[in-house]
Amino acid sequence: LEVFPVKGKITYQGKAPEGAVVVLHPVGDSDPNIPRPSAKVGSDGTFVVKTYDPGDGAPAGKYKVTVQLRKFEQKEEGLVAG
């Protein structure tokens, strides 16, 4: 699919969620073979979406967007996702 540049900046409670993952989910298409463009949030809150290659963008269309940030804690049994 042809892709178009997508970039942005995100903050949560006034801070950049560094390391968060932004995922674009195509609206109305549940085909698991359709790509889900994504990006990783940088230390300044900026992100650049990729579908196939770093920074290439996303196919045209409508999307629902999710943002997920996982924090890991060091525990006696090892790293634990929080």
Side-chain angles (χ1 to χ4, degrees), residues 35-76:
R36 303 297 191 262
S38 63
K40 190 170 183 181
V41 178
S43 62
D44 62 353
T46 61
F47 62 90
V48 180
V49 173
K50 75 174 206 85
T51 297
Y52 305 109
D53 297 311
D56 64 354
K62 292 184 178 185
Y63 295 91
K64 289 186 178 184
V65 179
T66 60
V67 179
Q68 186 175 49
L69 177 62
R70 292 184 174 249
K71 293 186 178 185
F72 292 91
E73 297 178 3
Q74 183 70 45
K75 301 241 176 173
E76 287 183 28

